[in-house]
Amino acid sequence: MGERFVVVPVDGRGGERSDTVVADPAPDTGGSSSSAGTGEEKEALEDSVFEAQDSDAVVPILEYDREPNKYGDGVLKENSPFINNTDHDKGNSYDGTNMALFEEEMDSNPMVSSLLNKLANYTNLTQGAQEHEDAEDEGPKKKAVKSPQMGTFMGVYLPCLQNILGVILFLRLTWIVGTAGILESLAIVGLCCSCTMLTAISMSAIATNGVVPAGGSYYMISRSLGPEFGGAVGLCFYLGTTFAGSMYILGTIEILLTYIVPKAAIFVAERKEDEVNALLNNMRVYGTCCLALMAVVVFVGVKYVNKLALVFLACVILSIFAIYAGVIKTIFEPPDFPVCMLGNRTLKNNNFDKCLKTDFIDNLTVTTKLWRLFCDGSELNATCNEYFLNNNVTEVQGIPGLTSSVISENMWSKYGPLDMLVEDKKLTSFGGSDPTKDIYLPYVINDITTFFTLLVGIYFPSVTGIMAGSNRSGDLRDAQKSIPVGTILAIATTSFIYVTSVVLFGACIEGVLLRDKYGDSVKGNLVIGTLSWPSPWVIVIGSFFSCCGAGLQSLTGAPRLLQAIARDGIVPFLQVFGHGKANGEPTWALLLTAGICEIGILIASLDAVAPILSMFFLMCYLFVNLACAVQTLLRTPNWRPRFKYYHWALSFLGMSLCLALMFICSWYYAMVAMAIAGCIYKYIEYRGAEKEWGDGIRGLSLNAARYALIRLEDAAPHTKNWRPQLLVLLNLDSDHGVKHPRLLSFTTQLKAGKGLTIVGNVLEGTYLTKETEAKKAEQNIKSSMSAERTKGFCHVVVSSNLRDGISHLIQSAGLGGMKHNSVLMAWPGTWKQSNDPQSWRSFIETIRETTAAHLALLVAKNIDSFPTNQDRLGEGTIDVWWVVHDGGLLMLLPFLLRQHKVWRKCKMRIFTVAQMDDNSIQMKKDLQMFLYHLRLDAEVEVVEMHDNDISAFTYEKTLVMEQRSQMLKQMQLSRTEREREAQLIHDRNTASHAAINDKADTGPERVHMTWTKDKLLTERNRNRECNTNVAVRDLFNMKPEWESLNQSNVRRMHTAVKLNEMVVNKSQGAHLVLLNMPGPPSNRGGDENYMEFLEVLLEGLNRVLLVRGGGREVITIYS
């Protein structure tokens, strides 16, 4: 007879689950208990069963049908182990019985096989394509996303090559070589290429440290350095890309108007000195039209731009090959591009065809067009320029070829000021020059002042573009392999091209032609085009399309970068640019990009725009290097790049090089770029970017905190370094809201000491049952701290009882040497009305524990009447009643409070109490001197406290106190009986008061026993004049039971009454009263009496701060 054992879950009342095993008889064959049952019966089971090896054998089935328990707080975790986490996957947690032991954890901890399956099927979409997918989701059926297929060559190498090689190579590199010389040009190329190579190494390390979603450099920087740096650098990168678009458009227009169709110029200069302005105005008009056309193309569809990308790339590569082919051809047959020289000066040959002063035609000497440019007529006897007459006209070959010795002449720099003539020093020249008139003659001149750092700024954009591969990370088959290899190979290739170009240009082209920026000496040909083979038009057309393509790509990439930043939500005012068309195209971002791009076009000068974008790109590269260096030095466990050829020293060198290049290019542009980045950083920090991306800056803070905590000695700090490190004990209401938010306000006002703040609270219960409430309480406390601007930490403890919880907080809050040294709490104002004595007992135990732990204690009475952070107290005083010296905390607290704007106008007064034997005058002088050495400004007053007789009021207060204490000690009585007894005691006291009042009408002392505030003050004043012996004897005669009172309690009550009388008399109008807090009795039996003493001491005062020192000096007269 087989038996089926069913594990039946039973939910106990206490919240614990017990599993009961029940024996259930079952037939030998058939039924759902048999392992040989049908498939339908097996599937009917909620969980699978172990199948028997033998069909005849009967195997017990364990039906394990417990519902999976959700661990944690039930909130979907942000860092899901699944990259593509969707709701329909949640139910598919497990299958089969092999993992039945872990079935309760499947909801929160997925099976490894399921996780690996999801990771293997992960498809990263291109940047901006997520919106397309979302749009398709709205349809009836989601289309399958095609897996990316791009490899290293097509996906990284060629895009980087296309972005790096561009406008500067074709339009400015020959001029840079001619101006700086081969050696300094190699230095410029070496500096810039080293910078990008080091940045590429750092970028490769970051890009191979996990999956890089589409977003490229911005994603890498922001996730490595945090939202503040990410936003700042992301916007700088965006501005750099936008100004790069301006530069490419300006290059396009320069090629168009200077080399392709010069006659298309709208503004034509009538005088030579107006040529520069005319060119700039033409650039502005045509540039604006070109920008508008490109923006429309990008708006209509990016797919057209992507389709043309291969054409633009082919133009770049063909142009490069044409240059190298032209260099090789110069060895055998140099091209014929003569440069006309007058003396040693280079002439613009746009307006003359022959490099001759006169020509022989039909045996007649006639003047040429060149003659008419320098003379006031075409006659041979016309008045001519003196220099023209004194010097001969000669022709030099513009491209002497690789085998010539021109390389030695081009080795050194030839910088010069604005309007300096381009001269060949090896040719002879005779005087007669007039610099004021020379600028109006057809000489080739410098259009800008040239110097080394300017050329660095102009050249650097030609090495940017290294991020093109990482920006396409979503399209790559294996981004972690392709990005490092493709980017580094592209930089190596372009560096080789630039270095060889510098050397070959210097070796093949005449110096004066190299320094001719616009090719005016060779009939307006592009200088680099004169070297190319088979025709200069190859370079002209190739460079034109190359600049067009680069401009279109900048206008395509920049808006998407801005959209990515906007959608991250870290810069609130940019959120509008996160929206776009239905298919996700960033329309608003494109409009802003076009607007910023127009600013660059209005500048109109390629040489002026290039340093601007150099700044922004250099800043971006700087932070890529910083990100890699920080991650490497921190040794974060998650920092495991597949690319191994990196080192923090290389990243640091790259970072330093970027910073140096920024200031080399243009120190004022560098300052502006850093100021912009700094403002964005502070704005994001101010607005509170609540993003946790596991970035390196957080890791750096953690590492610095750990280092500082280890360095911080666990021993108490020196007195000069002491500041209040507060543990604030908060009370919460039934909804877990902060009951006394003014306690947090007071904490903020006290934080001029800049110390630690820990806000603590205790919930009664067990953590397993109170976990949700604890989190809610912590959230509420943090919200209140934020509202009250209290900077610190929150610590909510769940404990079996309040007393133990507070004890745990006092003992364990803080870390290492960074622990609290003071406890701030509110006075339990309702302790008398409370039926539970634990409220005031817990308060007294807290006092004892702070004393035992050598912590200072601050107790605020009437905390709800304390000022808020928005209040501004007027003229008033903070009164310090210095009764006993316990470390000087009483002196320090008013000073700290007055640093805050709430208390700033308050003055400090210090009262000290003198006994009968004290010299009050000397005490005042000593105290004033002490305060002078402490550098504290305060008014000093010494109050004399005479040994007056103990009044009837004191005895009566003591009697009532002891009777009430005796009543509450009868713990065996029921609550009803306690209330009845309390009423009887009250009635008896009332009757005795009436009897005493009747006797007092005829008695000599007229002691009032029914006490009001006025009668109390009258009684106190009258008692001063009483005779000691008579008063005491009469009092005992009136109330014989007074003689049996505990005299220690009577003395304490007397002190409390007398001290309260003086404090009320002197400080009732003060904004705040600070008072020494007397210690609790060593015998716990007198705890309630202690509360009564404190009540009497504080009676009639509004804002009071009781201060109990921690047993050490906290203030010193020494520097």
Side-chain angles (χ1 to χ4, degrees), residues 235 274 337 783 815 830 864 886 1019:
L235 284 174
D274 296 331
F337 283 100
S783 299
L815 183 63
T830 60
D864 293 328
D886 55 358
E1019 173 64 15

Side-chain angles (χ1 to χ4, degrees), residues 974-1042:
S974 66
R975 182 175 177 181
T976 307
E977 291 171 333
R978 287 205 306 268
E979 289 178 356
R980 188 183 303 117
E981 183 169 342
Q983 185 62 39
L984 289 173
I985 293 174
H986 179 267
D987 294 341
R988 187 167 66 248
N989 287 338
T990 303
S992 63
H993 291 169
I996 290 174
N997 286 337
D998 293 339
K999 293 181 182 179
D1001 289 337
T1002 57
E1005 298 301 325
R1006 299 176 60 193
V1007 178
H1008 292 272
M1009 301 307 293
T1010 302
W1011 304 102
T1012 64
K1013 190 169 183 179
D1014 294 333
K1015 291 179 181 179
L1016 167 63
L1017 294 175
T1018 306
E1019 173 64 15
R1020 287 175 178 172
N1021 292 329
R1022 185 178 294 109
N1023 281 335
R1024 294 177 182 174
E1025 302 169 359
C1026 291
N1027 179 273
T1028 306
N1029 297 328
V1030 176
V1032 172
R1033 185 173 62 252
D1034 288 342
L1035 287 173
F1036 283 167
N1037 289 336
M1038 286 187 295
K1039 200 79 169 178
E1041 56 267 33
W1042 289 353

Side-chain angles (χ1 to χ4, degrees), residues 18 65 150 156 177 179 214 265 307 450 474 479 500 584 613 690 733 745 754 757 783 824 873 880 963 1039 1050:
S18 60
D65 60 355
M150 281 192 178
V156 180
V177 173
T179 306
K307 286 179 180 178
T450 54
T500 54
L613 67 101
E690 295 181 3
D733 55 26
S745 305
K754 304 293 183 187
T757 299
S783 299
L824 173 62
L873 297 179
V880 177
Q963 286 177 339
K1039 200 79 169 178
V1050 172

Side-chain angles (χ1 to χ4, degrees), residues 246 374 529 551 555 599 877 991:
S246 301
F374 286 89
L555 287 178
I599 296 173
T877 60

Side-chain angles (χ1 to χ4, degrees), residues 484-555:
V485 175
T487 305
I488 291 174
L489 277 179
I491 293 174
T493 304
T494 52
S495 299
F496 173 78
I497 290 172
Y498 284 132
V499 169
T500 54
S501 296
V502 166
V503 175
L504 292 175
F505 291 164
C508 294
I509 305 175
E510 184 65 42
V512 290
L513 181 56
L514 283 174
R515 283 177 281 146
D516 183 4
K517 185 185 287 185
Y518 301 107
D520 292 326
S521 61
V522 284
K523 296 189 179 297
N525 276 299
L526 183 62
V527 175
I528 196 171
T530 60
L531 182 63
S532 64
W533 178 87
S535 166
W537 284 100
V538 175
I539 295 290
V540 172
I541 301 300
S543 60
F544 177 78
F545 282 113
S546 169
C547 292
C548 277
L552 279 171
Q553 287 189 339
S554 295
L555 287 178

